[in-house]
Amino acid sequence: MQYFPEVGKIPYEGPSSKNPLAYRYYNENEMIEGKSMKDHLRLSVVYWHTFRGTGSDPFGASTMIRPWDDGTNSVDNAIRMVDVAFEFFSKLGVPYYAFHDRDIAPEGNSLKESHAILDKIAAALLAKQQQTGIKLLWGTANLFSNPRFVHGAATSCNADVFAFAGAQVKKCLEVTKMLGGENYVFWGGREGYQNLYNTDMKRELDHLARFFHMAVDYAKKIGFKGQFLIEPKPKEPTKHQYDSDAAACLNFLRSYDLLPYFKLNIETNHATLAGHTMMHELDYAGFQGALGSIDANTGDLLLGWDTDQFPTDLYLTTQTMLMILKHGGLGTGGVNFDAKVRRESFEPIDLFHAHVGGIDAFARGLKIAAAIRADGRLSDFVKQRYSSWDSGIGAEIESGKADFARLEAYMLEKGEANANTSGRQEMLENLINQFL
Ligand code: XUL
Ligand code: CO
C-alpha cells in the first residue's frame, strides 16, 4: 500500500533541473569542507505538523486532505500513520524524524492506558526504523495540549500537574531511548505566565529546575545517552515564556547547575519573535558551546506570531549555515523542519513541495556559506577589525595583565586613542551578494 503513489524517491537532478520534485542542490554524498551534505545537515521531518497538522485556525476548520487519516483518535489510525510517515521520510531521503509522544500515539483514558498505547506505536516505529535505517533525531513530551496543563506543567501552581508531567516525561524518555533517539527536547509549552499578579515566578523557576534535574537523574539511571536540548521561545502560548531566548535559557541553566547537561535547540521563528535574528541566537549559543540542534522554519515579518513556514530565503539559510560551520557543526543535532504547509496548501503533494524546497534552500545555504568561508575575505576582515587586541595594550587587557592604573598610565603617555576605522557594513553586504 502506497500513500503517495504519484511520488517516487526524490532524485538529485542538479541546478538546471525543471522538475519541481527533484533536488537541485541537495546531493547527499557531495563533500563540503570534508564532510558529506547528509552529515552536515542531518535533515529531519517532524511528525506533528506533517502528519498531525489539520490546517485549522482560530477562524476555520481543518482543510488538509489526508486520505489515510480517518479523523479518529484510534490506535489503528496511529499505526497507519507510522506507515505513511516512513513512506514520506523514505521518498524524501531524510535520515531523521522527530515527535511528541502525543503525535505518534493518542492519549488514553488514564496514564496507564496512554503508556500502553505509546508502547504499541513505539514498537511499530522501531520496526520501521530497522527496515528503513531512518533514525529518531529527538523525542519530546507534549505537556501543553491537554487542559490539565492550563497553568503549565513543571511550572504549574498545581503540584499534581507537575507530578503528571514528570510521569509523562519519564515514559517519553524510556521510549526515546528504546528508539535510539539522539536527543531529547524540552520546549517550554505553557511554562510561563500570562500575568504576574497571580504568579510566584521564583517558585515556578525553582520547580522547573527541579524537573530538569529529575530528567537528568532518570536519564542516568536508565542509561539514556542522548543530548538534552531546551528550545527557546519568548511568547505564545503564554505572554512570557520562561525559556525566552538563548541568553535567558543559558542563564537559567547556569544558575541551577544544569549547564553541563543541556544544549539549545534554536528555532528560526522563535528567534524572530524574541526580537533577534537566527544568526544572533546561533552565535550566542555557539560561543558558549551550547548549539545543539535547529528547528528550521521561518516567520512572516508582517505577522507577529509563530507561522512556522518552510524556509526558502537563501540569505537566511546562508547565515544559518555560516554560524553552524563556524561553531563546528550540529553534533548529535540536525536541521529539523518544524514547519507546516499553509492552510491553503491542502493536498498531500504540497508536503513534498514544501520539504523539497526547504531542503534545497539549506543545501544551497550550506554551499554558499562554505564558499564564503573558503574565499576568506569576510573572516580576514573580522580578524583585521580586532587586530588591536592581538598585541600591545589589547593583548595586555585580554590576558588580564592590565588594570585601570595601567590603562591610565598608557593613555596619559599616549594622549589619544588610535583613530577608528570604518565598519564597512555596505561593502560586506555587497561581498555576501557576490556568492548568492
Ligand atoms: C512550538 C515548537 C514545538 C517544539 C517541540 O513553537 O516549536 O513544536 O519544537 O515541542
Ligand atoms: Co520547534
Side-chain angles (χ1 to χ4, degrees):
M1 171 78 192
Q2 288 214 19
Y3 296 95
F4 305 97
E6 72 280 36
V7 186
K9 171 117 208 277
I10 304 294
Y12 168 70
E13 292 183 357
S16 61
S17 172
K18 295 229 162 34
N19 176 1
L21 288 182
Y23 294 121
R24 298 192 302 137
Y25 297 92
Y26 183 61
N27 182 14
E28 62 175 23
N29 294 320
E30 190 173 325
M31 300 298 282
I32 312 259
E33 297 194 6
K35 206 158 92 176
S36 70
M37 272 194 171
K38 184 178 177 181
D39 289 344
H40 273 290
L41 296 175
R42 299 168 53 84
L43 299 165
S44 166
V45 167
V46 305
Y47 222 92
W48 52 101
H49 290 313
T50 304
F51 307 111
R52 291 297 192 181
T54 65
S56 67
D57 73 9
F59 302 94
S62 57
T63 57
M64 296 297 157
I65 299 172
R66 301 289 184 252
W68 55 81
D69 188 348
D70 65 14
T72 68
N73 244 352
S74 72
V75 175
D76 283 351
N77 201 35
I79 294 274
R80 191 164 47 244
M81 210 76 82
V82 172
D83 286 344
V84 176
F86 277 79
E87 182 186 332
F88 186 77
F89 307 149
S90 304
K91 287 186 167 172
L92 211 53
V94 296
Y96 288 100
Y97 73 107
F99 63 66
H100 300 86
D101 49 1
R102 300 301 178 238
D103 313 326
I104 55 171
E107 191 157 7
N109 291 319
S110 65
L111 184 64
K112 196 170 168 194
E113 198 189 343
S114 299
H115 281 3
I117 299 171
L118 191 54
D119 281 336
K120 224 171 177 172
I121 311 296
L125 289 168
L126 183 63
K128 279 287 180 188
Q129 286 186 195
Q130 285 165 346
Q131 194 186 320
T132 59
I134 291 161
K135 296 184 278 187
L136 179 61
L137 186 67
W138 48 264
T140 188
N142 178 331
L143 305 177
F144 43 89
S145 294
N146 190 294
R148 85 172 62 82
F149 300 119
V150 60
H151 298 304
T155 64
S156 176
C157 48
N158 179 346
D160 261 8
V161 172
F162 180 110
F164 195 104
Q168 199 179 321
V169 168
K170 174 180 178 288
K171 181 70 185 174
C172 196
L173 274 170
E174 291 162 10
V175 167
T176 301
K177 175 180 186 276
M178 194 273 278
L179 293 172
E182 297 187 24
N183 307 271
Y184 185 91
V185 165
F186 290 96
W187 163 58
R190 294 181 192 275
E191 315 292 22
Y193 59 78
Q194 301 292 13
N195 78 91
L196 284 173
Y197 292 136
N198 68 6
T199 301
D200 187 335
M201 179 151 57
K202 162 84 166 63
R203 214 163 172 184
E204 293 199 359
L205 287 170
D206 287 351
H207 296 164
L208 186 58
R210 197 80 284 292
F211 196 81
F212 288 147
H213 274 292
M214 287 184 194
V216 168
D217 291 347
Y218 192 64
K220 269 191 203 146
K221 189 167 165 190
I222 63 172
F224 173 65
K225 299 267 184 310
Q227 174 67 50
F228 279 117
L229 299 170
I230 291 189
E231 183 176 319
K233 182 176 185 181
K235 55 190 165 194
E236 198 197 334
T238 69
K239 166 203 181 85
H240 176 85
Q241 302 272 126
Y242 290 133
D243 302 333
S244 55
D245 65 2
C249 287
L250 290 168
N251 178 58
F252 169 83
L253 291 169
R254 198 170 273 120
S255 317
Y256 287 99
D257 298 324
L258 285 160
L259 201 53
Y261 313 107
F262 284 81
K263 288 186 177 179
L264 302 181
N265 179 35
I266 305 290
E267 176 164 327
T268 323
N269 206 163
H270 297 177
T272 311
L273 293 176
H276 302 308
T277 59
M278 182 62 167
M279 216 175 167
H280 165 99
E281 286 291 84
L282 292 169
D283 208 21
Y284 199 93
F287 72 66
Q288 305 211 38
L291 174 52
S293 195
I294 69 165
D295 269 10
N297 61 21
T298 190
D300 184 313
L301 293 180
L302 300 184
L303 302 175
W305 62 92
D306 198 10
T307 59
D308 281 344
Q309 286 163 244
F310 278 85
T312 53
D313 180 339
L314 297 179
Y315 287 98
L316 171 65
T317 58
T318 298
Q319 290 167 2
T320 301
M321 292 315 302
L322 271 174
M323 283 300 145
I324 290 173
L325 292 174
K326 173 179 170 183
H327 294 295
L330 289 170
T332 63
V335 173
N336 179 52
F337 288 100
D338 188 358
K340 61 185 176 198
V341 289
R342 298 303 83 195
R343 186 168 190 265
E344 300 79 4
S345 306
F346 45 74
E347 296 176 21
I349 193 98
D350 291 309
L351 293 172
F352 278 97
H353 289 298
H355 284 87
V356 167
I359 289 170
D360 249 0
F362 263 89
R364 209 165 160 191
L366 168 61
K367 294 184 84 157
I368 297 166
I372 292 169
R373 284 158 57 85
D375 171 81
R377 278 177 289 167
L378 183 64
S379 53
D380 287 351
F381 182 89
V382 178
K383 193 167 182 333
Q384 181 55 34
R385 186 160 186 247
Y386 290 87
S387 58
S388 68
W389 296 90
D390 295 337
S391 59
I393 194 70
E396 275 182 55
I397 297 169
E398 278 196 353
S399 65
K401 263 205 247 154
D403 59 8
F404 270 1
R406 164 74 184 121
L407 299 187
E408 185 186 46
Y410 170 78
M411 229 52 243
L412 282 173
E413 194 193 330
K414 189 160 184 174
E416 182 51 87
N418 286 340
N420 283 306
T421 54
S422 165
R424 294 264 191 277
Q425 178 172 329
E426 297 78 4
M427 182 191 84
L428 295 174
E429 286 166 347
N430 297 346
L431 172 69
I432 298 295
N433 272 357
Q434 290 173 25
F435 294 86
L436 268 113

